Amino acid sequence: MRIIFMGTPDFAVPTLDALHAAGHDIAAVYTQPPRPAGRGKADRPSPVQLRAEALGIPVRSPQSLRSAEAQADFAALEPDVAIVAAYGLILPQEILDIPVWDCLNVHASLLPRWRGAAPVQRAILAGDAETGVTIMAMEAGLDTGDMLAVEKTAIGQKDAGLLTAELAKMGAAMMVEVLADPGAYPAQPQPDAGVTYAAKIDKAEARIDFAVPALQVERQIRAFAPGPGAWFEHAGERIRILAAEITSAPAAPGTVFDGLVIACGDGAIRPSRVQRAGRGVMTAEELLRGFAIPAGTILT
């Protein structure tokens, strides 16, 4: 098929690679424009742009798809289908109407649960037992289109980074299968029941409140790892916790004991991977060798 691919972050790269490997004619890749990143705040191309350029595929990065000019440029590519994976721009109806077949989306949840921007993080925060990928026909509503294929996976103790990578590979394989035999994947409407919305992550959500149960704190740590990272503050410095396990607590919430075990509202967490601002990831023991947090300290 002649495809326009639309995606931006690492999550989208496996789908782009799979479509290319399957021999599809990828007319162009649409991705978000380069953004300032890193300490120097230099413009950094998206992971999808870097991969597309390595594959020799033309890249387009319009600020919007609402202008007549942008829509004409899109139509001039004469796509059979547009494949979308975490693109980051809303597609107006004029764009959705252009492909001969459809615009298909790789969405990282079991729709209609977790429509929206942050389905992986919200599933972990909510304590969902499973999640998955839905291949969906796009329409003007927020992730409301008909479903063509669904696959599930257990969340277990995976953090957002591991789970996102797993879902990215799953979605890539599913999309190739759908395109290989579209007739085998008839569109089905989403159920009316069970709709939830995965709001974009606010950085303020990453601050840990040790007054809540350890189970909730541990989910928060997994949901925000590797980024933005759940964090607490001590001695004017922000410490990110990237992995932890739940244990018992003989102390008041926020109290540090037994190395860097931290009491919570119910139970405690034992961090295993942490990170100081501007430093690399380290163990809790390595942190304490260079940054004292004495037993009895109360973190708020």
Side-chain angles (χ1 to χ4, degrees):
M1 287 191 181
R2 185 168 172 81
I3 292 172
I4 294 176
F5 182 80
M6 312 178 81
T8 296
D10 288 319
F11 173 80
V13 172
T15 300
L16 175 60
D17 279 339
L19 294 172
H20 182 267
H24 291 287
D25 176 14
I26 304 176
V29 163
Y30 277 66
T31 190
Q32 289 287 291
R35 307 289 190 199
R39 292 186 179 181
K41 297 300 181 183
D43 282 350
R44 180 179 297 174
S46 74
V48 163
Q49 178 174 341
L50 293 173
R51 185 58 184 149
E53 289 173 347
L55 294 172
I57 302 171
V59 175
R60 297 182 178 182
S61 301
Q63 294 286 348
S64 170
L65 292 169
R66 297 193 177 279
S67 71
E69 180 181 4
Q71 292 164 13
D73 289 344
F74 192 94
L77 294 170
E78 299 182 338
D80 296 316
V81 63
I83 304 300
V84 182
Y87 176 39
L89 282 184
I90 294 175
L91 305 190
Q93 191 63 50
E94 291 84 355
I95 290 290
L96 295 175
D97 290 340
I98 288 171
V100 175
W101 176 25
D102 218 331
C103 293
L104 302 183
N105 179 244
V106 183
H107 186 76
S109 84
L110 302 175
L111 291 171
R113 187 162 178 80
W114 303 127
R115 295 172 177 171
V120 174
Q121 292 87 346
R122 296 299 174 194
I124 294 173
L125 284 170
D128 291 0
E130 62 182 9
T131 186
V133 171
T134 304
I135 304 297
M136 175 192 69
M138 298 182 71
E139 58 181 33
L142 178 62
D143 298 328
T144 56
D146 290 348
M147 304 181 297
L148 280 70
V150 177
E151 288 192 16
K152 300 178 180 180
T153 188
I155 294 178
Q157 295 304 115
K158 300 164 190 168
D159 65 27
L162 290 173
L163 187 55
T164 297
E166 178 183 346
L167 296 176
K169 292 179 182 179
M170 181 186 298
M174 291 169 65
M175 185 59 78
V176 169
E177 291 176 3
V178 168
L179 294 183
D181 188 8
Y185 297 91
Q188 302 290 330
Q190 293 186 31
D192 294 328
V195 175
T196 59
Y197 290 93
K200 185 178 179 180
I201 298 299
D202 187 318
K203 288 186 178 180
E205 294 181 76
R207 180 164 192 164
I208 299 172
D209 177 4
F210 293 108
V212 305
L215 177 62
Q216 186 174 334
V217 174
E218 191 271 343
R219 289 174 182 170
Q220 182 184 17
I221 290 166
R222 287 190 291 113
F224 298 143
W231 59 273
F232 66 88
E233 218 168 48
H234 177 64
E237 186 163 337
R238 184 175 294 190
I239 308 297
R240 302 198 309 158
I241 303 178
L242 300 176
E245 62 181 11
I246 297 172
T247 186
S248 57
T255 304
V256 177
F257 63 97
D258 191 19
L260 192 58
V261 179
I262 307 166
C264 301
D266 179 16
I269 60 161
R270 185 187 302 275
S272 56
R273 290 191 298 119
V274 297
Q275 186 175 28
R276 295 175 65 183
R279 309 289 183 90
V281 177
M282 62 188 79
T283 65
E285 292 76 15
E286 289 169 336
L287 170 72
L288 294 177
R289 285 200 289 269
F291 186 77
I293 308 178
T297 299
I298 297 179
L299 304 172
T300 59

